[in-house]
Amino acid sequence: MADNADRGASSIHVIGSGKAVDRAAAKDAKVERLNALHEGNMKAIETRYGGRVADAKEHYDTINGKWDAIQAEVDRQPRYARAIFYWPFMLGLMLFEIPVNRLSFELFFRESPTVSLGVAFLVGVILVTLAHRLGLVLCRFGYHVKKAGWAGQLLQVVLITAIILALIYGVSVLRQGFLDFETQPQASFSDMLGGTGAAQMAGEMFKAGLGISGWIFFAINLGIIAVGLTAAYFSHDPHPDFQEADIALKKAEKKLALVKGQRADAESIEQRRHANQINRASA
């Protein structure tokens, strides 16, 4: 009887140990499967983002090389205003030109105030654009003189300045003509035209030239353009390519950081998912 009892106890022990071994083996197999799945997911993440990171890094290195070459040439950091500040300011100057110049065209478009506003805005756009261009030419005048000589740059300065002054003068003449018309209530608009047409009347205004009020208006408009010119001069880098290279470098750096961040986020998510499953499998 004692021998039978011993054999029964031994059988129970062996069966219990076998089940433990089977559970351990099953757990190890599950862990291996989870590790294999994790390894495959990590490779998939690298496949998905590795090429994008490499391309972004290559693009960044190319632009960085161009930036370094320009920086070595000028031996300074780039100097310019951000477009988010500069262009709204210039747009504000264009809009400010509307009430200033609207009355200059009111005499010829009295029946269509909208046309007067549109023409005034168009003049503002042209004047501020010319001020932007002149400020840019003056800002980079020294660089271009060293590279290609002063003749072409001086010609640009003279030509743009002449256009600006001629346009302001013409607007001032028309504004003065409107003020003269307003101060003569006994004369109607049709009387002023006198059957000769608006073009001839405008020609007579230009022949008469500017009086005190006209020159004051000329100075006001010239002051607005001077503000735009000054803003353009100090808002751009003197080197024609440094500003563009610096902006491109910052964009490339952000893009590289973004792609790297996306890859890091995907890897972190996979790591946490894998750790949760391993913890449950090992419990």
Side-chain angles (χ1 to χ4, degrees), residues 1 14 26 41 55 70 78 102-103 105 116 160 167 178 198 204-206 211-212 215 223 245 255:
M1 295 292 295
V14 169
N41 289 340
D55 291 342
I70 298 174
R102 181 179 64 85
L103 295 181
F105 308 101
S116 298
I160 297 174
L167 187 55
F178 175 81
E204 293 176 357
M205 291 179 183
F206 279 94
I212 295 179
W215 283 114
K255 183 177 180 179

Side-chain angles (χ1 to χ4, degrees), residues 176-189 191-192:
Q176 180 174 273
F178 175 81
L179 293 178
D180 292 341
F181 173 73
E182 289 295 308
T183 56
Q184 298 176 10
Q186 71 279 5
S188 65
F189 182 62
D191 292 335
M192 290 190 66

Side-chain angles (χ1 to χ4, degrees), residues 9-277:
S10 298
S11 298
I12 294 172
H13 178 70
V14 169
I15 293 172
S17 299
K19 290 182 177 180
V21 171
D22 291 341
R23 285 196 298 269
K27 185 181 296 184
D28 291 341
K30 185 175 182 180
V31 170
E32 289 181 4
R33 289 196 302 270
L34 292 176
N35 287 335
L37 176 62
H38 173 65
E39 183 178 353
N41 289 340
M42 293 298 288
K43 288 181 179 179
I45 292 173
E46 180 60 29
T47 301
R48 181 180 179 184
Y49 291 101
R52 294 168 59 186
V53 171
D55 291 342
K57 182 66 168 59
E58 182 180 0
H59 181 62
Y60 172 80
D61 290 340
T62 301
I63 296 177
N64 198 20
K66 181 179 180 180
W67 190 96
D68 288 340
I70 298 174
Q71 197 278 332
E73 177 186 352
V74 299
D75 193 22
R76 60 172 174 78
Q77 294 297 309
R79 300 192 301 263
Y80 61 92
R82 295 178 61 184
I84 195 174
F85 299 114
Y86 175 72
W87 288 114
F89 177 79
M90 298 301 279
L91 178 60
L93 285 181
M94 293 178 187
L95 296 177
F96 186 69
E97 286 277 8
I98 295 177
V100 173
N101 293 323
R102 181 179 64 85
L103 295 181
S104 299
F105 308 101
E106 193 74 13
L107 184 62
F108 296 94
F109 303 106
R110 292 182 72 86
E111 304 301 327
S112 303
T114 304
V115 176
S116 298
L117 291 175
V119 175
F121 178 70
L122 179 61
V123 171
V125 170
I126 294 174
L127 286 174
V128 174
T129 301
L130 290 173
H132 162 77
R133 180 60 189 173
L134 182 57
L136 201 59
V137 171
L138 292 175
C139 174
R140 296 167 179 174
F141 188 85
Y143 175 86
H144 288 296
V145 166
K146 291 180 181 178
K147 295 294 182 179
W150 57 269
Q153 299 304 306
L154 184 61
L155 179 62
Q156 284 194 64
V157 172
V158 172
L159 183 61
I160 297 174
T161 301
I163 295 174
I164 290 175
L165 293 178
L167 187 55
I168 293 178
Y169 182 85
V171 172
S172 300
V173 168
L174 296 179
R175 173 63 177 263
Q176 180 174 273
F178 175 81
L179 293 178
D180 292 341
F181 173 73
E182 289 295 308
T183 56
Q184 298 176 10
Q186 71 279 5
S188 65
F189 182 62
S190 58
D191 292 335
M192 290 190 66
L193 291 176
T196 60
Q200 184 172 342
M201 187 178 71
E204 293 176 357
M205 291 179 183
F206 279 94
K207 289 181 181 179
L210 290 179
I212 295 179
S213 61
W215 283 114
I216 292 175
F217 182 73
F218 182 92
I220 292 174
N221 236 329
L222 189 62
I224 297 174
I225 300 307
V227 171
L229 187 155
T230 303
Y233 182 89
F234 289 105
S235 296
H236 294 84
D237 191 271
H239 192 286
D241 300 322
F242 207 4
Q243 178 176 340
E244 181 181 353
D246 191 65
I247 293 174
L249 181 63
K250 290 177 179 177
K251 289 181 178 179
E253 186 175 7
K254 289 181 180 179
K255 183 177 180 179
L256 178 60
L258 176 63
V259 177
K260 284 185 175 181
Q262 291 174 342
R263 181 176 65 178
D265 290 342
E267 290 175 344
S268 297
I269 292 172
E270 172 57 25
Q271 293 284 5
R272 289 194 297 270
R273 184 203 64 80
H274 178 64
N276 290 336
Q277 290 193 337

